Amino acid sequence: MSPSTVTVTGSGIDPVAIRRDFPILEQQINGHALAYLDNAATSQKPTAVLAVLDQYYRRDNANVHRGIHELSRRATSAFEDARSRVGRFVGANDPGEVIFTRGTTEAINLMAHGWGLEFLNEGDEILLTTMEHHSNVVPWQLVARRTGAVLKWLELDDEGRLRLEALDRTVNSRTRLVSLTHVSNALGTVNPVADIVRAVRYRSEAVVLIDGAQAVPHLPVDVAALDCDAYAFSGHKMCGPTGIGVLWARRSLLDAMPPFQGGGEMIRIVRRESSTWADLPHKFEAGTPDIAGAIGLGTAVQYLEGIGMSRIARHEREVLHYALDRMSTVRDLRIFGPSDPCERSGVISFTLSDAHPHDIATILDAEGIAIRAGHHCAQLVMRHFGVAATARASFYFYNTTEDVDRLVEGLETVRTVFA
Ligand SMILES: *Cc1c(COP(=O)(O)O)cnc(C)c1O
């Protein structure tokens, strides 16, 4: 199934053509055209992905790596092709290093169990940042409790950027793991990951894991250029189905790690007392995988490649600039995160005078505008800024300046309601 063709103008994207690929965007919500601005929570799916899921179940459905029959051959080859494609998309050319997981959360938990519980000892240090999604906090708290390892934190400045000058003091020979997000889901801050990896390598032999859930959908990502050791991301935030994601990690790291879960598909030989493991990547994929999900993610990647990640990034930057500009005209609006748009991606967290973020989201919903309100699974960020919650608008390549105009009009309505 080839992805539908998209008209691209010289400087970027033709959103009108793009939006035709996303049938969900055509509907009315509460009598208004839908303005979907909750892309940091999940993205919508293009018809190419919907079609490949339907076709897989109608025509090719079978279990993978087992049968000798035609359907199993088709399912296996589509599943493994998807793995290679998704890997290449992030610069990982060895498909053995591409582990399919349920998403970013499971990918990080795989590292926490497979690497953290196995290799960390009392007094070892794990460096996290206070910008992390709870998915990159709680697994390490659990590991620290069981191993005696100690959690250290890289703090934020007033604009929600990492205080990188503190790397000097916080990374040392006891640092065994550094795990941080590429792009903040709560603030939109884009972290200079390659520079951070270099600084960590200079001071320690720590393993570096990157949470790429908000980066892979929006920016060109190359794990080789970043020089990290492991990288996690989710399919559903990049036009793919829910329930599928990826842990990429260096072969040497994965080889050293014991399996995460035991079961079918991940063994070589099973005897009464013990078993041996299948080769990578299957060692970390116990049980029947989300075959359709992986194939759907492969098609999502093909679709994104058809548009081009640089174009996607450029379009989102244009929408972001426009939004920051327009929103600065709304009185009593406070925007969190870096003031320099070049340091952020298409996420805008804000509060509006004393209005509760949930009330803001409810009033906007009545006008067909979908945003998020809450702590965005980043309570440490909320605490840093002394707020319980924010409202958050987040863009993708199918959003337009018209969506932004609708948002700004909606915010003016919120202001009148609360005036
Ligand atoms: C969404 C998100 C996660 C969690 O992803 P799941 O798909 O829910 O597993 C982790 N980190 C960041 C930065 C995210 O945006």
Side-chain angles (χ1 to χ4, degrees):
M1 169 69 37
S2 63
S4 42
T5 31
V6 153
T7 319
V8 175
T9 57
S11 63
I13 281 172
D14 174 0
V16 178
I18 294 260
R19 290 173 74 87
R20 281 200 287 271
D21 291 337
F22 292 84
I24 201 169
L25 298 177
E26 283 162 21
Q27 68 190 295
Q28 303 264 311
I29 301 284
N30 300 317
H32 302 271
L34 167 63
Y36 184 76
L37 300 174
D38 193 16
N39 293 286
T42 200
S43 69
Q44 300 303 347
K45 323 302 173 198
T47 45
V49 170
L50 305 178
V52 87
L53 295 174
D54 182 69
Q55 169 188 296
Y56 170 74
Y57 281 121
R58 271 177 204 278
R59 216 185 58 188
D60 304 327
N61 177 53
N63 213 326
V64 289
H65 307 131
R66 292 182 191 172
I68 306 193
H69 57 81
E70 169 67 18
L71 294 190
S72 176
R73 255 198 310 275
R74 278 191 219 156
T76 304
S77 103
F79 180 69
E80 291 303 330
D81 286 353
R83 187 196 306 280
S84 302
R85 182 179 282 278
V86 174
R88 282 196 309 273
F89 185 62
V90 296
N93 293 316
D94 175 358
E97 296 181 337
V98 179
I99 315 294
F100 279 127
T101 64
R102 284 197 298 121
T104 305
T105 304
E106 190 176 72
I108 295 172
N109 275 278
L110 197 166
M111 282 296 293
H113 281 253
W115 190 85
L117 290 182
E118 183 74 7
F119 294 111
L120 289 174
N121 296 304
E122 183 141 12
D124 286 345
E125 294 181 4
I126 299 172
L127 179 64
L128 305 174
T129 87
T130 52
M131 189 189 283
E132 300 312 308
H133 188 284
H134 298 161
S135 292
N136 198 25
V137 173
V138 182
W140 303 113
Q141 291 173 335
L142 296 171
V143 163
R145 192 174 303 159
R146 286 178 54 184
T147 59
V150 182
L151 298 180
K152 299 279 172 171
W153 301 92
L154 207 54
E155 307 283 344
L156 304 185
D157 66 15
D158 293 344
E159 293 193 12
R161 296 172 300 195
L162 293 176
R163 290 189 180 279
L164 295 178
E165 67 280 4
L167 278 173
D168 246 351
R169 278 177 282 114
T170 41
V171 180
N172 57 62
S173 59
R174 287 185 305 278
T175 313
R176 298 289 311 285
L177 177 89
V178 176
S179 190
L180 78 148
T181 195
H182 195 158
V183 175
S184 161
N185 67 306
L187 297 167
T189 315
V190 180
N191 291 318
V193 170
D195 295 344
I196 295 171
V197 173
R198 210 171 305 122
V200 169
R201 299 261 184 262
Y202 186 72
R203 294 171 180 82
S204 75
E205 291 179 2
V207 165
V208 183
L209 165 63
I210 306 297
D211 171 350
Q214 295 294 341
V216 178
H218 304 283
L219 313 166
V221 168
D222 181 344
V223 294
L226 294 176
D227 192 36
C228 55
D229 299 296
Y231 198 99
F233 57 100
S234 296
H236 69 96
K237 292 177 179 175
M238 51 190 283
C239 296
T242 50
I244 190 78
V246 169
L247 173 70
W248 168 82
R250 291 184 196 279
R251 186 170 272 274
S252 53
L253 198 63
L254 293 171
D255 273 335
M257 285 161 51
F260 175 36
Q261 293 176 330
E265 310 252 12
M266 53 73 71
I267 47 80
R268 184 184 305 280
I269 295 165
V270 174
R271 299 203 198 284
R272 290 194 190 194
E273 306 306 326
S274 69
S275 304
T276 56
W277 316 134
D279 289 336
L280 292 175
H282 309 293
K283 173 175 138 185
F284 292 104
E285 293 181 358
T288 300
D290 184 352
I291 305 165
I295 295 170
L297 177 55
T299 302
V301 161
Q302 202 176 352
Y303 178 82
L304 295 174
E305 286 171 338
I307 302 170
M309 290 310 295
S310 310
R311 271 206 184 94
I312 286 175
R314 209 179 319 143
H315 175 78
E316 287 178 27
R317 182 159 302 281
E318 282 167 17
V319 174
L320 173 74
H321 274 261
Y322 183 77
L324 289 171
D325 222 41
R326 291 280 279 117
M327 287 170 78
S328 70
T329 64
V330 180
R331 272 193 14 234
D332 305 324
L333 189 91
R334 175 183 178 198
I335 292 179
F336 297 84
S339 55
D340 180 354
C342 295
E343 293 179 273
R344 50 196 307 163
S345 78
V347 172
I348 302 181
S349 247
F350 61 93
T351 52
L352 182 49
S353 60
D354 295 333
H356 194 283
H358 286 100
D359 294 333
I360 299 176
T362 304
I363 293 170
L364 293 178
D365 177 55
E367 310 206 348
I369 303 159
I371 64 155
R372 190 82 153 186
H375 54 59
H376 317 295
C377 301
Q379 290 185 7
L380 301 182
V381 173
M382 300 298 118
R383 193 152 310 134
H384 174 75
F385 285 107
V387 294
T390 67
R392 180 186 73 185
S394 52
F395 309 113
Y396 211 6
F397 56 92
Y398 41 67
N399 287 122
T400 59
T401 50
E402 198 188 344
D403 291 331
V404 174
D405 292 338
R406 298 264 316 278
L407 172 66
V408 171
E409 279 162 34
L411 293 174
E412 292 294 355
T413 308
V414 175
R415 257 177 41 79
T416 13
V417 170
F418 284 88

